[in-house]
Amino acid sequence: TDIIYRYGEEKWAARIAKFIAAKRKEKAIHKTKDLVDIILSAIPVGARTKNIHPATKTFQAIRIFINNEMESLEKGLDSAVSLLSENGVICVLSYHSLEDRVVKNTFNKYTGKCSCPKNIPICTCNAKKELNILTKKALIPSEDEIRKNPRSRSAKLRSAKKITYI
């Protein structure tokens, strides 16, 4: 449930997980089609959207969890920022909200803002400004670009510039 909810942002996560667990008690799940059928049976027909297959979010969640994608993205961004030359620009394209959140939070971490809890009187995070964010809001494709390239519809671009040290 946690994996499907956290990484798939699936509101039917608990029900899907319950259906998967019940089916696994009957027999092992060996084929993706079997998993798709279980997910379809877990999500009521009236709750399904027309834009996205009902199993998409669950498969996304499993893939992200198995591949450790969010943690890898965060580590990769940290490494990229540390390797960036002064005045160098980092641009990152994300394709779903989880990725975009990691990019946004990682960039914010390097803007020098204190990340300590508000109730602590003294800063202990040693915030240090290393980046200026160039895109306050993520840039998204235009309707014309989406028409020409439908896969671009979920893309978001964020950029930041390494500050010059004096």
Side-chain angles (χ1 to χ4, degrees):
T1 301
D2 183 52
I3 290 167
I4 297 168
Y5 184 77
R6 185 184 328 161
Y7 296 123
E9 297 181 313
E10 174 61 74
K11 69 179 181 179
W12 295 97
R15 187 171 159 100
I16 292 167
K18 182 179 169 185
F19 276 53
I20 291 170
K23 188 58 83 174
R24 286 179 67 203
K25 285 181 181 176
E26 294 174 22
K27 65 177 186 158
I29 302 167
H30 291 290
K31 298 181 179 181
T32 55
K33 170 132 179 39
D34 296 337
L35 184 55
V36 168
D37 292 341
I38 295 166
I39 295 164
L40 287 173
S41 68
I43 301 175
V45 175
R48 299 177 191 171
T49 64
K50 293 177 183 168
N51 300 340
I52 181 172
H53 189 280
T56 300
K57 291 181 178 184
T58 300
F59 276 86
Q60 171 185 298
I62 293 167
R63 187 201 75 230
I64 289 170
F65 176 75
I66 295 295
N67 295 334
N68 203 23
E69 292 179 18
M70 294 302 106
E71 293 79 8
S72 296
L73 175 59
E74 193 170 347
K75 286 179 184 176
L77 289 170
D78 286 337
S79 294
V81 169
S82 72
L83 295 169
L84 199 59
S85 300
E86 289 181 18
N87 290 317
V89 175
I90 181 171
C91 298
V92 181
L93 268 176
S94 58
Y95 290 94
H96 56 79
S97 60
L98 294 174
E99 287 176 341
D100 187 54
R101 195 173 306 128
V102 170
V103 174
K104 179 181 175 181
N105 290 340
T106 302
F107 279 8
N108 283 336
K109 177 171 73 175
Y110 291 102
T111 61
K113 294 177 187 165
C114 176
S115 61
C116 293
K118 303 261 185 260
N119 61 344
I120 295 177
I122 298 172
C123 175
T124 58
C125 71
N126 299 319
K128 178 181 159 192
K129 184 168 182 152
E130 294 183 52
L131 293 177
N132 282 328
I133 295 176
L134 300 176
T135 51
K136 298 261 188 252
K137 284 188 155 201
L139 300 177
I140 58 173
S142 66
E143 287 183 26
D144 185 48
E145 183 174 357
I146 294 169
R147 230 182 346 273
K148 291 176 185 171
N149 178 12
R151 290 178 145 188
S152 71
R153 76 185 181 284
S154 61
K156 291 185 176 185
L157 175 71
R158 292 187 183 273
S159 63
K161 183 177 183 179
K162 187 91 170 217
I163 64 166
T164 303
Y165 297 100
I166 300 172

